[in-house]
Amino acid sequence: MIKAVIFDLDGVIISTDDCHYEAWKKLADEEGIYFDRKINDRLRGVSRMASLEIVLEKSEKVYTEKEKAELTERKNNYYREFIKKLTPNDILPGVMDNLEELKQNGIKIAIGSSSKNTPIILKQIGLDGYFDAVSDGNNITHSKPNPEVFLKASEMLKIPPENCLVVEDADAGIEAGKKGGMKTLSVHGAKGADFETEDLKKFKILSII
Ligand code: B16
Ligand code: MG
């Protein structure tokens, strides 16, 4: 029985995955590294430093740890510029209806995101303080596909993993939810989930609970 729904942020609540793409692309172009949307797909749900390692697979230059820290900081500064423009209008279609319906039916809702920028984004889109729990890149040591971020959310909610449903747009996120012993719902084509929907626009999460 599902008592809580844990939502990924980037790509589920809001389409910041495109802002990540633009920021990585800008950095890669400056460094003369090949980067495209296919490579970007592999960065979904993956931490900032682990994402950089994937970007650097196409680099001939070997970077020191200090240089890698500078690259991730530069990428994050570009990303922050993009997310400054976010407003509540950027929340993806169907998200608010689902959140409200779950709340009204006594289902707990949480965020489970690898992003350290989660608090800023939630503020920008007017959902600061809206969720029963927020587990993000600031309180984990292992990013998805490790289940840590979702297990922390389940702990914060005081609801066991088997009673939680994870909503994800990344293969790594679906894998993380499953490893954590949770049920999973995929949006936008993430593979391997218990349930799937193209988007949340015409979909009622309550119907699978
Ligand atoms: P940051 P999610 C993830 O968020 C993104 O999908 C991933 O592309 C990004 O690298 C990661 O957050 C870290 O983000 O650089 O803001 O800390 O999908 O788990 O909500
Ligand atoms: Mg995501």
Side-chain angles (χ1 to χ4, degrees):
M1 190 197 172
I2 300 301
K3 295 180 181 164
V5 182
I6 307 173
F7 291 84
D8 171 49
L9 182 65
D10 293 315
V12 172
I13 300 284
I14 191 154
S15 180
T16 32
D17 47 341
D18 213 55
C19 302
H20 280 294
Y21 168 77
E22 295 295 342
W24 283 120
K25 177 79 179 131
K26 190 169 177 190
L27 181 83
D29 286 352
E30 284 168 358
E31 293 297 311
I33 302 168
Y34 178 78
F35 184 73
D36 61 18
R37 288 202 180 259
K38 210 169 160 211
I39 300 171
N40 188 64
D41 281 347
R42 292 174 56 208
L43 313 184
R44 286 176 207 272
V46 175
S47 75
R48 204 177 302 164
M49 191 48 92
S51 295
L52 177 70
E53 296 293 352
I54 294 172
V55 173
L56 293 184
E57 285 172 11
K58 293 277 182 211
S59 166
E60 274 157 31
K61 181 180 164 185
V62 177
Y63 291 84
T64 64
E65 290 309 307
K66 203 174 155 213
E67 285 168 332
K68 285 181 190 175
E70 186 278 320
L71 292 179
T72 51
E73 197 188 326
R74 208 189 321 157
K75 181 265 171 178
N76 196 45
N77 289 337
Y78 298 149
Y79 180 66
R80 290 265 180 104
E81 281 303 310
F82 289 122
I83 61 176
K84 258 188 203 167
K85 294 171 205 139
L86 294 175
T87 73
N89 288 335
D90 292 303
I91 297 172
L92 287 168
V95 169
M96 285 317 296
D97 287 347
N98 269 292
L99 291 174
E100 284 296 315
E101 191 174 45
L102 292 169
K103 270 193 171 202
Q104 279 160 19
N105 284 275
I107 308 289
K108 297 273 182 217
I109 52 169
I111 290 289
S113 167
S114 300
S115 177
K116 290 186 174 165
N117 290 300
T118 296
I120 307 175
I121 295 170
L122 289 179
K123 212 168 202 166
Q124 286 284 134
I125 61 175
L127 292 183
D128 190 23
Y130 182 85
F131 291 88
D132 298 300
V134 175
S135 174
D136 64 31
N138 298 295
N139 62 11
I140 55 167
T141 41
H142 307 287
S143 82
K144 302 164 190 174
N146 188 294
E148 189 182 7
V149 73
F150 296 136
L151 292 175
K152 287 253 164 85
S154 135
E155 255 175 57
M156 289 175 188
L157 294 168
K158 297 190 175 57
I159 294 186
E162 62 268 29
N163 299 122
C164 295
L165 172 77
V166 162
V167 187
E168 260 289 348
D169 72 317
D171 296 354
I174 296 294
E175 198 183 326
K178 289 182 128 179
K179 279 184 180 160
M182 300 171 181
K183 288 270 175 286
T184 52
L185 166 65
S186 140
V187 295
H188 312 140
K191 293 179 201 80
D194 300 297
F195 306 97
E196 281 180 20
T197 179
E198 185 38 45
D199 55 44
L200 292 175
K201 207 168 155 185
K202 292 160 256 139
F203 191 83
K204 274 180 178 281
I205 296 177
L206 205 59
S207 73
I208 57 165
I209 284 181

